[in-house]
Amino acid sequence: MSEKKEYQDVWVFVEVKDHERIHPCALEILGKAREIANDLNQNLVAVVLALEAEQYLPVIKKHGVDKIIYLSHQNLKHYHERIFTDLVHELIEKYKPSIFLFPSTEAGNALSARLAYRCRTGLVSDVLDLDLEEDYADDLLLTDKPAYGGNIHVKIICPKTRPQMCTITPGTFKKKELEKEHVEFIEEKYHFDEDKIRIKIIGAPTRKDKPSAPLSEAKFVIGGGQGIGSEANFKKLYKLAKLTNGQVGGTRRPIFNDWMPEHLQIGISGETINPNLYIALGISGAIQHVVGITESDTIIAVNTDPNAPIFRTTDYCIVADANEIINGLLEYYKVEE
């Protein structure tokens, strides 16, 4: 491995989701990465691999980057582990970034893990905060993440190897638009031995139960927990969300009960949300769920237990049966409609 002093700049992997839009988590990370790059007096570099990658450059440019490295090819339309790993690893070897940040998504987690192995460096997953460890080294990244089922937070550094790598949970940071006066665009040529491709992606079907927008982008979220009581009651949340232009999410228990699909889970094992309003209905408030809602502007919780842990996190507490509140809201909005 090269000397650590040879490694410079803060990189962010900009994932293109469903080969049609930039994953919002990547734009969120760019805002925080800009702060880190400023503190280090280094460049912020976005890395994007996609079909017709050029179309995404104007959006990325508005988020404080100094440089954008991009590759464009038809084989980059969908994420392919072997192709993306080989190409991005070549970029790391060529440019030697000090810090490399990834969205904590299916593609981001897979790619970062493979790259960490290739680079023989460390990787911290599902990070909830970033800072610099100034007492140890000038460019040492300090990561903060939950551990032991979310019961504690741990701070982790990677002092001996580079690049320092981590994945960041969607919704952790706010998007910040800042367009630099000069942005350098670096186009790298696609080159990959097609004989190495053992699995070819011929299509990516759209999931029927997929929401119109991810929970991490929703402005109003209605969350349901075990206290909802039954699948029939839980279905009322979808009706309420439709009437209020909101989205439904929830805890792990409704998934176990087959009331809700897994991709709607909020918390450590699911999405981190930051809506204008989050209403928690029948949710006790385990830390595994709470860490996913703390960035919400306003939180209202409804629970029959006045000592429910969720009330320690919320702005407004309602001690009541969640189903009574749901039925009342449905009646109100139907009248208004």
Side-chain angles (χ1 to χ4, degrees), residues 197-216:
I197 301 178
R198 297 181 180 179
I199 299 175
K200 291 187 177 181
I201 300 174
I202 59 175
T206 302
R207 192 169 57 198
K208 292 182 179 180
D209 62 355
K210 181 181 176 181
S212 57
L215 277 174
S216 58

Side-chain angles (χ1 to χ4, degrees), residues 40-303:
L40 293 173
N41 195 27
Q42 296 181 7
N43 291 314
L44 172 58
V45 182
V47 178
V48 57
L49 287 70
L51 172 66
E52 299 177 353
E54 298 84 355
Q55 66 179 305
Y56 306 106
L57 304 187
V59 175
I60 300 171
K61 181 183 176 184
K62 295 179 181 179
H63 288 79
V65 298
D66 298 293
K67 301 178 182 180
I68 303 175
I69 300 174
Y70 65 98
L71 286 84
S72 184
H73 193 272
Q74 62 181 5
N75 285 348
L76 303 176
K77 181 177 181 180
H78 302 287
Y79 173 72
H80 189 291
E81 289 189 344
R82 184 61 187 271
I83 296 175
F84 274 63
T85 301
D86 281 11
L87 293 176
V88 178
H89 183 244
E90 287 185 11
L91 295 178
I92 293 174
E93 291 290 297
K94 180 177 180 179
Y95 293 102
K96 293 182 170 54
S98 176
I99 295 170
F100 203 165
L101 310 176
F102 298 79
S104 185
T105 60
E106 186 174 349
N109 290 332
L111 178 60
S112 59
R114 286 171 171 263
L115 290 172
Y117 175 79
R118 291 270 189 101
C119 298
R120 299 297 190 267
T121 190
L123 172 66
V124 185
S125 61
D126 299 321
V127 168
L128 294 177
D129 199 9
L130 295 172
D131 205 344
L132 292 174
E133 177 51 79
E134 298 176 353
D135 295 334
Y136 196 99
D138 291 339
D139 66 342
L140 193 60
L141 188 67
L142 180 66
T143 61
D144 184 305
K145 66 163 290 176
Y148 294 104
N151 291 306
I152 64 170
H153 276 238
V154 295
K155 296 185 183 296
I156 302 174
I157 58 175
C158 182
K160 295 183 179 181
T161 56
R162 295 292 183 273
Q164 302 164 87
M165 296 172 58
C166 68
T167 65
I168 298 169
T169 304
T172 297
F173 302 119
K174 301 284 187 180
K175 295 179 186 177
K176 297 179 182 178
E177 290 199 6
L178 170 66
E179 188 166 348
K180 302 279 286 187
E181 185 175 346
H182 174 71
V183 177
E184 182 179 355
F185 299 95
I186 304 171
E187 181 179 10
E188 291 286 340
K189 298 300 181 183
Y190 174 92
H191 56 89
F192 186 82
D193 184 357
E194 302 295 327
D195 292 335
K196 292 182 180 180
I197 301 178
R198 297 181 180 179
I199 299 175
K200 291 187 177 181
I201 300 174
I202 59 175
T206 302
R207 192 169 57 198
K208 292 182 179 180
D209 62 355
K210 181 181 176 181
S212 57
L215 277 174
S216 58
E217 294 183 38
K219 298 303 180 184
F220 173 40
V221 178
I222 303 169
Q226 179 68 16
I228 298 299
S230 69
E231 183 177 10
N233 288 337
F234 205 92
K235 286 181 178 179
K236 294 179 182 179
L237 296 185
Y238 294 101
K239 294 180 181 179
L240 183 58
K242 185 176 181 180
L243 289 169
T244 57
N245 293 319
Q247 288 198 36
V248 173
T251 63
R252 191 70 176 168
R253 184 56 60 180
I255 297 172
F256 288 155
N257 295 340
D258 289 329
W259 301 347
M260 180 185 82
E262 189 170 0
H263 69 273
L264 295 181
Q265 183 181 355
I266 300 169
I268 288 178
S269 301
E271 295 278 358
T272 297
I273 61 172
N274 54 4
N276 297 331
L277 175 62
Y278 176 60
I279 300 180
L281 298 164
I283 293 174
S284 62
I287 187 65
Q288 290 88 344
H289 177 72
V290 169
V291 296
I293 67 172
T294 54
E295 293 298 318
S296 304
D297 291 341
T298 302
I299 302 174
I300 301 173
V302 180
N303 200 292

Side-chain angles (χ1 to χ4, degrees), residues 13-26:
F13 175 68
V14 178
E15 178 183 344
V16 175
K17 186 174 177 61
D18 300 327
H19 57 85
E20 61 183 20
R21 64 188 180 94
I22 296 172
H23 196 293
C25 183

